[in-house]
């Protein structure tokens, strides 16, 4: 768009001074298409704007007739039509010609929408970029509800525009207004409308539950009719310019605290667009809203998750600990903005954690970790005891005698299990029997008897071999080959060298 003074000067130079469009464009420092558009809008035939005829002139009647019938037809399709009829010009210049002859859309007049006090509010999301939280990068969305009569604004920021945050925004707005508007106007966003075919609207069932709880009517605007919710659109622009621009805040809680103060002070003190003599705060006092129900609508996020082999559940980029007795089970995560609860069987809460907005963090309860460590130690101890009792009949008597001497049973179990792997069950059981006979039930006596038995049989010292835990590898039977095979290969190689 150019200024009215510049447009008047173009018309004066063309009609009074008889300047050509190119001369006017050069002298005024504007593009020649701007000059042609001003002259065309003033009723000057575009064909007369050029001193020389154009190869498109024979096709002007076809272009005009087609555009009158199909005003939104693309220039590329028109270009294909005239090419079939013999036009030899390029597509770029032809696109400019079409723009000169395309009929201007009929300007639509809009009625100024007025509402009664407490009758309507408008709802929408505003995207405000991304916010770094530790290793995570969270999308920052602002939930905005505007009362149509008083223009009072409610603003709250969330990490994401999921359905749970959509519900939290409604509940927070109703509590801030201390009432509920009778009608809530929405754009055709997914949280409100799942599907729409003409006048047939499939509302989100969760939104219908919210509407039933607070007794309001959800009403989507018509498709491509953003003017019907212009109040909230203008409010979001106002929020961007007046509140969020160059705003400094520590975290999401700090940002929301500042937004609450701004809505109650700066935004509430601006003149009301319907009555410039009064402030929004004063007009808001005239709103007649529906009363709030006794209890707020539940807005917890609920998700069924599976506890894997480790005692943690994954929720929203982070891991939360559970008691180790719940591994390999399905649990339900119930999350608010402040906490994460883990529930089994619908009612039994097995863990409650503060919610983390970081990424890849392990949120643990110390007792969960300690219980797992103790269970692992006890399991290892019992496995060792069972193995010794099955392999060595004298092990039970040895441990009983060791307990009478106040020996360390855990250390003895670990040491005897290693000796069992080194010397075998028979040798270890004989050593245990010898210590019981000599009434010397301690580990040093067991090791001494094993060494004496090894020397007496002239056996080499045992070598500890760590076998893999995988039974498919541990139980492989390896068949040794006779070394004479390698001697035969070497002999054949030597004979080959001799022949050469």
């Amino acid at each position: 768009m150019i200024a009215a003074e510049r447009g008047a000067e173009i018309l004066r130079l063309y009609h009074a001074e008889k300047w050509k469009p190119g001369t006017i464009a050069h002298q005024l420092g504007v593009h020649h298409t701007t000059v042609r558009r001003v002259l065309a809008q003033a009723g000057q035939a575009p064909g007369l704007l050029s001193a020389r005829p154009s190869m498109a002139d024979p096709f002007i009647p076809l272009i005009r007739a087609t555009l009158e019938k199909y005003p939104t037809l693309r220039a590329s399709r028109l270009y294909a039509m005239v090419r079939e009829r013999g036009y030899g010009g390029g597509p770029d210049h032809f696109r400019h010609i079409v723009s000169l002859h395309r009929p201007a859309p009929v300007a639509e007049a809009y009625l100024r929408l007025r509402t009664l006090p407490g009758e309507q509010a408008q709802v929408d999301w505003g995207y405000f970029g991304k916010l770094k939280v530790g290793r995570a990068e969270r999308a920052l969305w602002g939930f905005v509800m505007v009362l149509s009569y008083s223009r009072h604004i409610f603003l709250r920021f969330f990490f994401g525009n999921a359905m749970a945050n959509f519900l939290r925004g409604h509940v927070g707005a109703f509590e801030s207004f201390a009432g509920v508007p009778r009608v809530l106007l929405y754009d055709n966003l997914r949280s409100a409308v799942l599907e729409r075919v003409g006048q047939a609207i499939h509302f989100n069932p969760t939104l219908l539950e919210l509407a039933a709880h607070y007794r309001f009517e959800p009403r989507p605007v018509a498709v491509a009719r953003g003017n019907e919710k212009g109040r909230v659109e203008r409010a979001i622009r106002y929020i961007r310019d007046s509140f969020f621009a160059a705003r400094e805040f520590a975290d999401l809680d700090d940002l929301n605290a500042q937004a609450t103060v701004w809505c109650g002070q700066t935004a509430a003190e601006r003149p009301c667009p319907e009555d410039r003599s009064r402030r929004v705060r004063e007009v808001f006092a005239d709103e007649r809203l529906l009363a709030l129900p006794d209890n707020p609508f539940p807005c917890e996020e609920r998700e069924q998750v599976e506890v894997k082999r480790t005692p943690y559940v994954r929720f929203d980029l982070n891991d939360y600990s559970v008691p180790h007795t719940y591994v390999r089970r399905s649990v339900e995560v119930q999350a608010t903005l402040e906490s994460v609860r883990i529930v089994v069987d619908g009612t039994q809460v097995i863990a409650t954690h503060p919610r983390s907005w970081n990424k890849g963090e392990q949120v643990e309860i110390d007792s969960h970790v300690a219980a797992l460590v103790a269970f692992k130690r006890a399991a290892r101890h019992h496995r060792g005891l069972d193995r010794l009792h099955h392999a060595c009949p004298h092990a039970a008597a040895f441990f009983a005698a060791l307990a009478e001497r106040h020996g360390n049973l855990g250390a003895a179990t670990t040491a005897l299990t290693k000796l069992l792997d080194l010397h075998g069950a028979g040798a270890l059981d004989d050593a245990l029997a010898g210590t019981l006979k000599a009434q010397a039930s301690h580990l040093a006596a067991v090791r001494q008897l094993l060494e004496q038995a090894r020397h007496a049989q002239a056996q080499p010292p045992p070598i500890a071999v760590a076998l893999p835990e995988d039974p498919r590898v541990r139980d492989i039977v390896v068949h040794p080959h006779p070394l004479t095979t390698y001697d035969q290969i070497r002999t054949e190689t030597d004979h080959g060298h001799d022949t050469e």
Side-chain angles (χ1 to χ4, degrees):
M1 295 296 293
I2 62 173
E5 295 83 357
R6 181 59 58 90
E9 180 68 8
I10 291 173
L11 294 174
R12 186 188 71 79
L13 293 174
Y14 179 78
H15 291 287
E17 304 297 339
K18 309 300 182 183
W19 285 13
K20 295 181 179 180
T23 304
I24 297 174
H26 177 72
Q27 295 298 323
L28 297 184
V30 298
H31 199 268
H32 65 87
T33 58
T34 302
V35 176
R36 295 175 186 276
R37 184 175 66 252
V38 171
L39 296 175
Q41 291 173 349
Q44 176 64 50
L48 300 179
L49 297 180
S50 177
R52 59 182 180 179
S54 170
M55 66 174 63
D57 290 346
F59 303 94
I60 296 300
L62 172 66
I63 294 173
R64 287 180 175 177
T66 304
L67 289 177
E68 286 178 3
K69 189 174 183 180
Y70 306 102
T72 60
L73 187 66
R74 289 181 173 272
S76 58
R77 183 68 195 117
L78 275 170
Y79 180 70
M81 293 171 63
V82 296
R83 288 282 292 181
E84 293 176 356
R85 290 166 171 80
Y87 177 69
D92 294 337
H93 179 64
F94 183 79
R95 188 178 295 108
H96 167 66
I97 294 173
V98 172
S99 67
L100 296 176
H101 294 275
R102 187 182 297 277
V106 178
E108 182 177 0
Y110 296 98
L111 291 174
R112 189 175 184 86
L113 302 177
R114 296 181 181 274
T115 58
L116 298 174
E119 183 68 21
Q120 183 195 93
Q122 299 181 7
V123 180
D124 205 354
W125 285 105
Y127 178 66
F128 290 85
K130 293 186 177 181
L131 190 64
K132 192 75 173 177
V133 184
R135 293 182 297 273
E137 193 175 46
R138 302 276 184 171
L140 186 63
W141 288 84
F143 175 89
V144 182
M145 184 182 293
V146 180
L147 294 175
S148 297
Y149 176 74
S150 64
R151 306 299 205 278
H152 191 62
I153 297 175
F154 172 82
L155 169 64
R156 182 162 297 174
F157 291 92
F158 296 96
F159 287 137
N161 58 349
M163 189 66 194
N165 291 335
F166 195 57
L167 300 176
R168 292 177 181 128
H170 283 78
V171 174
F174 297 154
E175 292 177 352
S176 175
F177 297 154
V180 182
R182 288 168 172 78
V183 176
L184 260 63
L185 208 60
Y186 301 94
D187 200 349
N188 291 278
L189 67 166
R190 188 72 176 173
S191 301
V193 179
L194 295 181
E195 186 179 8
R196 181 168 187 163
V197 180
Q199 297 300 317
I201 300 171
H202 180 196
F203 282 100
N204 190 310
T206 308
L207 178 65
L208 294 180
E209 293 178 12
L210 179 75
H213 186 84
Y214 286 100
R215 306 293 190 267
F216 68 84
E217 176 192 350
R219 184 183 299 172
V221 300
V223 178
R225 289 288 180 175
N227 63 293
E228 294 184 8
K229 62 179 189 64
R231 290 171 173 85
V232 70
E233 298 286 355
R234 288 190 293 272
I236 292 176
R237 290 199 300 269
Y238 175 53
I239 290 168
R240 294 187 191 279
D241 297 337
S242 176
F243 172 76
F244 194 76
R247 174 72 55 173
E248 295 183 358
F249 51 92
D251 51 24
L252 185 66
D253 292 336
D254 181 31
L255 178 61
N256 279 324
Q258 295 184 42
T260 300
V261 173
W262 179 83
C263 290
Q265 295 180 1
T266 304
E269 291 299 328
R270 73 189 193 281
C272 180
E274 294 292 338
D275 185 357
R276 306 294 296 182
S277 65
R278 303 173 67 193
R279 304 289 179 182
V280 168
R281 183 194 306 279
E282 300 170 357
V283 183
F284 173 67
D286 298 336
E287 296 275 11
R288 289 190 286 272
L289 303 171
L290 300 175
L292 290 172
D294 295 334
N295 56 318
F297 188 81
C299 301
E300 291 182 334
E301 298 168 67
R302 294 175 179 266
E303 183 178 337
Q304 288 289 334
V305 298
E306 186 77 17
V307 185
K308 305 296 184 182
R309 293 181 298 174
T310 57
Y312 295 90
V313 296
R314 171 59 63 92
F315 173 73
D316 191 23
L317 307 180
N318 297 291
D319 295 326
Y320 297 87
S321 69
V322 298
H324 67 274
T325 53
Y326 291 94
V327 296
R328 303 290 189 182
R329 291 187 57 179
S330 179
V331 299
E332 183 182 53
V333 176
Q334 300 176 359
T336 66
L337 296 176
E338 296 80 22
S339 65
V340 173
R341 294 189 305 167
I342 303 166
V343 180
V344 295
D345 300 330
T347 57
Q348 182 184 358
V349 180
I350 60 174
T352 301
H353 300 273
R355 183 162 186 175
S356 172
W357 298 103
N358 205 338
K359 179 181 179 181
E361 186 176 358
Q362 282 191 341
V363 185
E364 299 175 334
I365 295 177
D366 293 339
S367 60
H368 293 169
V369 180
L372 177 60
V373 172
F375 173 77
K376 288 291 186 181
R377 288 176 178 171
R380 286 195 298 268
H381 176 70
H382 289 300
R383 284 198 300 269
L385 283 177
D386 291 342
R387 185 181 174 199
L388 289 170
H389 288 171
H390 284 90
C392 305
H394 293 91
F398 176 83
F399 278 108
L402 183 64
E404 292 179 0
R405 296 167 56 89
H406 304 289
N408 190 326
L409 300 181
T413 302
T414 304
L416 290 177
T417 303
K418 294 180 180 178
L419 293 175
L420 177 62
D421 294 332
L422 286 173
H423 298 274
L428 180 59
D429 190 55
D430 291 341
L432 293 175
T435 58
L436 292 171
K437 184 177 181 179
Q439 296 183 353
S441 302
H442 51 78
L443 291 174
V446 175
R447 293 191 180 98
Q448 183 179 6
L449 291 176
L450 287 171
E451 288 297 316
Q452 289 175 357
R454 183 179 63 80
H455 280 292
Q457 298 175 10
Q459 294 178 347
I463 300 175
V465 179
L467 296 177
E469 296 183 359
D470 191 342
R472 296 173 299 177
V473 180
R474 186 182 63 235
D475 299 336
I476 289 177
V477 177
V478 179
H479 298 284
H481 295 278
L483 298 179
T484 56
T485 305
Y486 298 99
D487 294 337
Q488 183 179 358
I489 294 174
R490 182 177 180 183
T491 303
E492 293 176 355
T493 305
D494 292 342
H495 285 313
H497 286 296
D498 292 340
T499 58
E500 293 177 359

